[in-house]
Amino acid sequence: MPFIPHTAADVGAMLQAVGAGSIDALFDEIPAALQVEGLPGIGPGLPEAAITRLMSERAAADGHPLCFIGAGAYDHHIPAAVWEIAGRGEFYSAYTPYQAEASQGTLQLIYEYQSMMTELTGLGVANASLYDGATAFAEACLMAVRANRKSRSRRVLTTRALAPAYRRVARNLLEGQGIELVELPLADGRTDIAALAASAGADFAALAIQQPGFLGTLEAVDELTDWAHAHDMLVIGVCNPVWLALLEPPGRWGAAGADIACGEGQPLGIPLSSGGPYFGYLGCRDALARQMPGRIVGRTVDLDGRSGFTLTLQAREQHIRRSKATSNICTNQGLMVTAATIHMSLLGAEGLRRVAAQCHANTRSLVQALCALPGVSLAFAPYCHEAVLRFERPLAPLLDALSAAGILGGHDLAADYPELGHALLVCATEMRTAADIETYASTLGRLLAAA
Amino acid sequence: MIPEPVIFESSHAGRRAFPQAPASLADIGDLPASALRSEPARLPEVSELQVVRHFTRLSQLNFSIDTHFYPLGSCTMKYNPRAANRLAMLPGFLGRHPLAPDEHGQGFLACLYELQEMLKAVTGMSEVSLTPMAGAQGEFAGVAMIRAYHRARGDHARRVLIVPDAAHGTNPATATMCGYEVREIPTDAEGDVDLAALKAALGPDTAGIMLTNPSTLGVFERRIVELSAMVHEAGGLLYYDGANLNAVLGRVLPAAMGFDVMHINLHKTFSTPHGGGGPGAGVVAANERLARFLPVPIVGRRDDRYTWLGEAERPDSIGRLSAFMGNAGILLRAHVYMRMLGAEGMRRVSSFATLNANYLMARLQAAGFELAFPARRASHEFIISLRRLAQDTGVTAMDFAKALLDRGFHAPTTYFPLLVPECLLIEPTETESLEELDRFVAAMAAIRELALHDAAEIKAAPRSTPVRRLDEVKAARDLDLRWYGRPRPPAAP
Amino acid sequence: MSAVPAGLKYTRDHEWLREEADGTLTLGITDHAQRQLGELVFVELPEVGSVLAAGQGCVVVESVKAASDVFVPVAGSVVAVNEALEQDPGRINTSPYGDGWLLRLQPASAAQDLLDAAAYQQLLDTTA
């Protein structure tokens, strides 16, 4: 029997100890009318060899296209050691570290993770992670509404330079609590500073900005932060964590720094894997620590005075506060954080900085190569890590043709940014070589010429 | 045990794992200098061997299913098959970008489509969405769907969700996140919902009820059919918290019990890893009444071609709950597990989980432990109360848990559910052998014996773990949440 | 055995109130309440000047294992809070009726339905 160790003799002895005639008799409290005999629609079990063959065929069928899509998930090198270690059974098959004495490995690792994230964000506190970047953003908005004592507003000001998926998810998650997102318009791919004046009189709990912006542009983070603070808003910074090794972190934006930082942790050693599991990071200034949702690990001492680690600030959480908890979340993305912590340790700040710089340089080479083609132009400059290219005709047929040639040409912005015309968001990470970029450019050149 | 230093303590300026990053810093002269960091982040600077050794050592400080019996009630800590992990991590699956077109994902989407179909079969529901990333998010989805349903009918008076007092804390927390008021109803002495109290709580303001069955008390709600009829009659809907589906897998379909919408914790029933606290997956399933509100995306099939269905195809959906599509890799693991079990294997899961729980319950009762519900069958888990032992000796459920650690067992769930004083909620799962269960009974009996003669010794446990009991009051009062490597700055005002 | 000083008023939610000479009310939690919660690690106080309705939650007290709302039994505005608790919440454990006071309130109306020490003691005896 798959994964069940019982022999017939075991079953007999156990039923005797229970005083039951059969296993079925153990279900005698369940009304008979509710019990079913079989599961139509589910086939017989497969042995490991057969499922291995099936899955291998399916994985191979999905191929290895040349990927120039970023848009929130990035194809980076993941050192072999990351998943060799993260996959150890002691990490993989452990539960939430509620029994601290039996979970010091997971707890110390989370403490180290929190420490690394505070270094990257420039803020004093980080939690043990949330589901993904989009849900971390939604939790950051909730936290800002709770924490802002100067404003009673349930509105958060954000901008169209923030990832559309994050705005959508936050709306879906926050709507039930009557929290509303309001969007600032863009000018030249960045949040329009001139449009701020129109919002100056309104009451908002926070301003949320993404750096680099979703369209690959750099936001005027210092100016935006100071403006928001002057109008009694908290500031939420949404950032790619690899880029936090290169760009000024939220904790140092403007005169006082952002109050909350969050974002998608995937670039820190997590495979693309069709969208998950990833992890969302969340950090804040020290003074807001008790408003943070999710798990937090603290260092303390044991009975003998030895240093040790434990979950702390648990009174905020759902298992104690129930309907008054800061969030219903009762997990983090533990295994992903394990991988990310190993990844950050292997790369170090200098390694992450080089990865970011190389992505930027590769994207620049890609932009130069594609803009040399007729009918392709750069939409916004300066750009950073990703760039928007303008085309003179609809992108969908071109992208289909590129895909058929084994190239994922970028993310079509038509659905989310119709005002940009035929616009494509492209990204070449450090994994793309000069030859890859040349393959893309020459294939696109042929397609444009043929059409 | 030698303590492992915090990795920052091993840092040496200039040391790096050189092959892991580009060999030099590329030219970034076109980025405005004002946007760049004024000083570098201080991450540890260590070699690859130091990293491998440090994290391997940290792993060895953990208890895990792979190393210890882990009878943690309500968490279903069963064996996580290695095949599921290896096959979900095939390069073709790992390398796929979430925004890649469906043509470059037919293999992946086929797995997800099959998973949706298998989950429909085990729940009796009409449609499934795989996107929620944890049980709590599945709950959120289900409650948001209940809200969307009432709203679509123009029924705005329904603002109360009923939750039994035995419920997991996420239930009321989720209700609040969805803008509902929570009304708690009591449980009777036999562990069933108090139907008179339910009747009194029902009314035109009832949006629905959130229920776990078998409940967190480890017993099956016997009058579930009557209960669901009462709620439906009042115009409410029934939410099934699938936390305990392992107990009835392949035997009882939640849809047949009268539930309208539910979530399933794949990291419990379908054996995806707990990973030290996630990632999980909390897929949500609904009957015909609520299916159109399911979160997107959902995998559809047209002429043997698989495709994502989004907002455009499902306009009544409560929308997206994640940046992309949820915890894809976890879904693949559950798919492998379910395909390996097949229909027969799934029924065996509930059979042997229940056999193990009832066996353990009988043996512990015989060893002198007090059962919370002695007249009831155990589901896949059961509760013992140490109330009397605590009165007699001062040894509490927490002390007992710590003493178990010293004997090589992870502790059962303690102090949950809140209704039973000094409780241990014990869930052995189907993957444990008779010998392991017997060893556990022997350890429990030995601890009890010791408690009666030398309570102080139990109070001093654990002694064999990497640290002894930790000062949690100090941890919460004097927050130390990060490594500073220099004198800590003064506490924020 | 929990202390229940005479001369104070009590609520069924285990809060105490003291009428000051200037007409304000000082509010705290009882010895029984602090024993039930265990060692307190954090207190969230309202801002001075806040206007509270009767029955409104105004303070959150947290121990390692529990968090509890403190409700004002009477409407009024907050004229002072015990700021020392932010650094040293343990004062509530060591001196619930003294250094561990929570806030002072300017009541907007007379308090209803309060217990005297004897009645509160009886409440504790019957629920124990």
Side-chain angles (χ1 to χ4, degrees):
Chain A
M1 291 183 287
F3 318 122
I4 292 173
H6 301 63
T7 65
D10 293 342
V11 174
M14 292 170 80
L15 285 171
Q16 193 170 11
V18 174
S22 67
I23 289 179
D24 283 347
L26 299 175
F27 294 86
D28 56 8
E29 288 188 2
I30 302 178
L34 287 179
Q35 300 206 34
V36 296
E37 282 301 322
L39 291 171
I42 298 187
L46 293 179
E48 189 171 306
I51 187 75
T52 299
R53 177 159 182 171
L54 176 71
M55 295 297 280
S56 302
E57 284 168 3
R58 286 181 174 174
D62 289 353
H64 291 277
L66 210 47
C67 181
F68 293 94
I69 310 177
Y74 303 94
D75 182 18
H76 292 302
H77 175 65
I78 302 171
V82 170
W83 283 94
E84 290 275 330
I85 306 296
R88 286 178 64 92
E90 299 95 325
F91 285 132
Y92 187 78
S93 73
Y95 187 63
T96 303
Y98 288 130
Q99 291 288 339
E101 301 88 342
S103 315
Q104 284 297 299
T106 291
L107 288 164
Q108 182 172 335
L109 184 141
I110 293 172
Y111 179 86
E112 292 176 357
Y113 162 80
Q114 290 172 181
S115 304
M116 292 179 196
M117 293 315 297
T118 58
E119 282 296 329
L120 287 178
T121 60
L123 291 166
V125 188
N127 78 356
S129 78
L130 300 164
Y131 306 130
D132 75 349
T135 60
F137 172 62
E139 291 281 8
C141 293
L142 266 177
M143 189 178 157
V145 168
R146 274 196 304 273
N148 192 335
R149 286 193 156 201
K150 290 181 185 159
S151 160
R152 291 263 163 253
S153 172
R154 295 182 79 76
R155 297 197 303 165
V156 173
L157 189 60
T158 182
T159 103
R160 288 181 61 72
L162 192 109
Y166 288 22
R167 286 181 273 139
R168 269 195 293 273
V169 169
R171 284 211 171 85
N172 294 336
L173 295 177
L174 304 181
E175 192 238 338
Q177 294 176 80
I179 295 171
E180 189 193 346
L181 293 189
V182 176
E183 290 171 4
L184 288 164
L186 303 185
D188 214 15
R190 316 185 331 154
T191 300
D192 186 1
I193 298 286
L196 292 177
S199 300
D203 189 11
F204 291 99
L207 170 69
I209 37 186
Q210 185 172 345
Q211 178 80 325
F214 181 74
L215 300 176
T217 49
L218 286 166
E219 293 277 37
V221 290
D222 297 324
E223 205 174 338
L224 288 165
T225 299
D226 289 342
W227 176 84
H229 282 153
H231 292 87
D232 289 343
M233 301 177 201
L234 297 180
V235 173
I236 301 170
V238 182
C239 301
N240 176 332
V242 168
W243 278 84
L244 287 178
L246 192 58
L247 297 178
E248 196 71 313
R252 298 211 195 94
W253 292 354
D259 304 280
I260 301 169
C262 64
E264 176 54 68
Q266 179 272 332
L268 297 173
I270 312 302
L272 287 169
S273 186
S274 286
Y278 296 170
F279 72 94
Y281 74 85
L282 182 67
C284 66
R285 288 193 287 112
D286 289 312
L288 302 182
R290 287 171 197 273
Q291 299 295 342
M292 286 255 274
R295 294 186 186 133
I296 301 172
V297 171
R299 189 156 64 151
T300 182
V301 293
D302 77 356
L303 283 174
D304 296 335
R306 273 180 305 189
S307 173
F309 302 88
T310 182
L311 291 174
T312 191
L313 299 181
Q314 292 190 76
R316 305 159 297 114
E317 295 191 62
Q318 48 72 33
H319 62 279
I320 292 173
R321 283 293 264 166
R322 297 175 78 85
S323 65
K324 287 179 178 164
T326 51
S327 165
N328 75 343
I329 195 162
C330 45
T331 187
N332 62 337
Q333 299 279 97
L335 195 62
M336 303 297 125
V337 161
T338 304
T341 308
I342 300 170
H343 187 85
M344 285 189 276
S345 302
L346 284 168
L347 273 92
E350 178 60 21
L352 293 177
R353 213 162 76 96
R354 289 183 185 184
V355 169
Q358 194 64 50
C359 291
H360 180 65
N362 287 1
T363 297
R364 190 172 55 211
S365 302
L366 177 69
V367 167
Q368 284 162 358
L370 299 187
C371 288
L373 300 171
V376 184
S377 60
L378 178 65
F380 312 119
Y383 57 88
C384 173
H385 187 47
E386 296 182 73
V388 177
L389 300 180
R390 278 216 173 89
F391 287 67
E392 291 172 354
R393 60 169 104 157
L395 285 160
L398 272 180
L399 290 174
D400 285 348
L402 282 167
S403 167
I407 297 168
L408 306 182
H411 178 57
D412 187 350
L413 296 171
D416 290 318
Y417 295 91
E419 69 273 26
L420 297 181
H422 309 305
L424 184 69
L425 184 64
V426 296
C427 176
T429 67
E430 88 282 12
M431 303 290 277
R432 298 291 85 83
T433 63
D436 294 340
I437 290 168
E438 170 51 28
T439 302
Y440 184 8
S442 60
T443 310
L444 182 63
R446 273 201 306 280
L447 291 169
L448 288 170
Chain B
M1 196 153 326
I2 304 161
E4 179 66 13
V6 173
I7 192 163
F8 289 80
E9 295 176 79
S10 308
S11 183
H12 281 81
R15 186 176 288 162
R16 281 204 304 279
F18 284 97
Q20 308 305 352
S24 61
L25 188 69
D27 172 24
I28 47 168
D30 54 329
L31 293 179
S34 63
L36 302 181
R37 251 187 189 270
S38 43
E39 58 178 86
R42 294 169 314 141
L43 297 186
E45 298 179 76
V46 285
S47 74
E48 181 160 336
L49 173 59
Q50 282 180 303
V51 172
V52 168
R53 195 171 281 162
H54 173 72
F55 289 102
T56 301
R57 282 184 181 159
L58 284 190
S59 79
Q60 292 169 334
L61 305 181
N62 274 357
F63 278 40
S64 66
I65 301 170
D66 284 4
T67 52
H68 297 82
F69 180 37
Y70 217 120
L72 197 62
S74 97
C75 298
T76 311
M77 301 299 284
K78 62 168 88 175
Y79 171 60
N80 306 144
R82 280 281 185 265
N85 186 45
R86 184 203 271 183
L87 299 178
M89 294 193 73
L90 290 168
F93 293 133
L94 286 191
R96 185 173 177 276
H97 193 283
L99 298 173
D102 297 346
E103 296 79 68
H104 288 288
Q106 288 298 299
F108 165 68
L109 291 170
C111 294
L112 264 51
Y113 186 82
E114 286 174 7
L115 179 61
Q116 289 176 182
E117 292 298 306
M118 289 189 284
L119 291 171
K120 277 156 66 175
V122 299
T123 59
M125 296 290 178
S126 21
E127 283 197 86
V128 168
S129 168
L130 301 174
T131 190
M133 293 178 283
Q137 226 198 13
E139 279 182 35
F140 176 89
V143 174
M145 289 164 66
I146 289 175
R147 212 168 65 106
Y149 170 83
H150 291 308
R151 194 152 53 176
R153 291 159 43 94
D155 190 348
H156 300 293
R158 299 188 179 274
R159 52 192 174 72
V160 175
L161 267 185
I162 298 173
V163 178
D165 55 3
H168 196 273
T170 45
N171 291 174
T174 300
T176 302
M177 280 191 89
C178 291
Y180 278 120
E181 282 171 39
V182 176
R183 194 171 292 160
E184 277 203 356
I185 53 168
T187 303
D188 70 20
E190 292 247 287
D192 293 308
V193 168
D194 181 338
L195 289 193
L198 174 63
K199 195 172 177 61
L202 288 168
D205 65 354
T206 303
I209 185 170
M210 300 181 81
L211 210 63
T212 311
N213 194 20
S215 73
T216 59
L217 301 173
V219 295
F220 191 86
E221 178 61 55
R222 290 171 288 194
R223 290 169 299 180
I224 182 62
V225 176
E226 192 184 337
L227 186 157
S228 64
M230 284 167 63
V231 175
H232 281 145
E233 196 148 314
L237 297 170
L238 283 94
Y239 182 87
Y240 183 76
D241 179 331
N244 293 340
L245 186 65
N246 210 58
V248 292
L249 185 64
R251 287 179 180 271
V252 180
L253 308 182
M257 290 192 262
F259 289 97
D260 300 287
V261 55
M262 65 178 291
H263 84 266
I264 304 161
N265 304 92
L266 298 184
H267 48 282
K268 295 181 183 178
T269 309
F270 298 109
S271 199
T272 66
H274 284 79
V283 302
V284 58
N287 63 12
E288 275 176 16
R289 186 147 36 157
L290 289 181
R292 66 191 169 112
F293 302 110
L294 280 165
V296 289
I298 290 174
V299 185
R301 183 166 75 169
R302 274 185 222 119
D303 312 327
D304 279 343
R305 189 178 167 280
Y306 300 96
T307 178
W308 283 118
L309 307 176
E311 290 90 340
E313 295 80 9
R314 302 185 64 95
D316 294 329
S317 165
I318 60 162
R320 281 171 202 270
L321 306 176
S322 65
F324 299 108
M325 57 70 57
N327 284 340
I330 299 302
L331 303 172
L332 289 174
R333 285 170 175 82
H335 171 261
V336 169
Y337 178 73
M338 292 183 85
R339 290 294 308 260
M340 290 181 81
L341 289 187
E344 278 302 302
M346 288 190 213
R347 191 177 170 86
R348 275 196 294 263
V349 163
S350 56
S351 297
F352 287 89
T354 303
L355 177 64
N356 276 0
N358 278 282
Y359 174 75
L360 211 47
M361 182 168 84
R363 291 287 319 274
L364 288 172
Q365 186 179 28
F369 287 93
E370 181 189 357
L371 303 179
F373 301 102
R376 302 291 308 265
R377 292 277 189 211
S379 62
H380 65 320
E381 61 189 353
F382 61 96
I383 300 173
I384 61 178
S385 172
L386 301 174
R387 184 176 48 100
R388 258 184 282 162
L389 187 73
Q391 275 164 8
D392 295 348
T393 67
V395 170
T396 64
M398 181 59 71
D399 299 327
F400 227 88
K402 303 304 182 194
L404 278 165
L405 301 180
D406 272 339
R407 286 156 181 81
F409 297 97
H410 194 280
T413 297
T414 51
Y415 300 104
F416 177 81
L418 307 166
L419 295 181
V420 183
E422 297 300 334
C423 72
L424 296 178
L425 177 61
I426 303 173
E427 180 183 2
T429 84
E430 71 278 8
T431 57
E432 294 299 330
S433 68
L434 176 58
E435 308 89 85
E436 195 66 30
L437 302 181
D438 286 342
R439 285 203 320 118
F440 181 72
V441 172
M444 290 284 287
I447 295 167
R448 187 167 180 278
E449 192 60 29
L450 187 57
L452 295 170
H453 297 109
D454 189 0
E457 184 55 28
I458 307 281
K459 291 259 170 212
R463 294 180 185 276
S464 63
T465 45
V467 292
R468 296 182 64 204
R469 286 192 215 188
L470 293 158
D471 186 344
E472 295 188 20
V473 172
K474 176 179 160 57
R477 279 186 183 166
D478 182 17
L479 292 179
D480 175 358
L481 308 178
R482 60 172 293 200
W483 174 260
Y484 277 91
R486 59 182 175 218
R488 290 178 64 192
Chain C
M1 199 55 193
S2 300
V4 182
L8 301 180
K9 296 289 188 192
Y10 297 88
T11 72
R12 291 172 190 282
D13 296 322
H14 307 290
E15 291 126 9
W16 59 262
L17 285 158
R18 186 172 60 226
E19 286 181 39
E20 307 296 344
D22 61 359
T24 61
L25 293 173
T26 300
L27 176 78
I29 66 170
T30 65
D31 189 30
H32 171 79
Q34 70 82 14
R35 282 169 196 250
Q36 291 291 312
L37 286 162
E39 283 189 83
L40 293 173
V41 297
F42 183 66
V43 181
E44 188 181 321
L45 295 164
E47 298 208 9
V48 172
S50 314
V51 179
L52 304 170
Q56 187 178 341
C58 59
V59 176
V60 182
V61 287
E62 282 185 20
S63 66
V64 173
K65 300 291 181 205
S68 185
D69 289 287
V70 179
F71 303 97
V72 280
V74 53
S77 57
V78 178
V79 294
V81 297
N82 186 358
E83 282 167 9
L85 296 178
E86 285 174 0
Q87 290 305 315
D88 185 11
R91 286 169 184 235
I92 296 174
N93 297 112
T94 51
S95 177
Y97 300 106
D99 288 348
W101 65 281
L102 297 174
L103 57 83
R104 274 207 352 263
L105 197 70
Q106 181 69 55
S109 60
Q112 306 278 322
D113 205 21
L114 297 180
L115 309 175
D116 63 14
Y120 181 65
Q121 183 64 56
Q122 197 180 3
L123 176 79
L124 294 182
D125 293 344
T126 51
T127 52

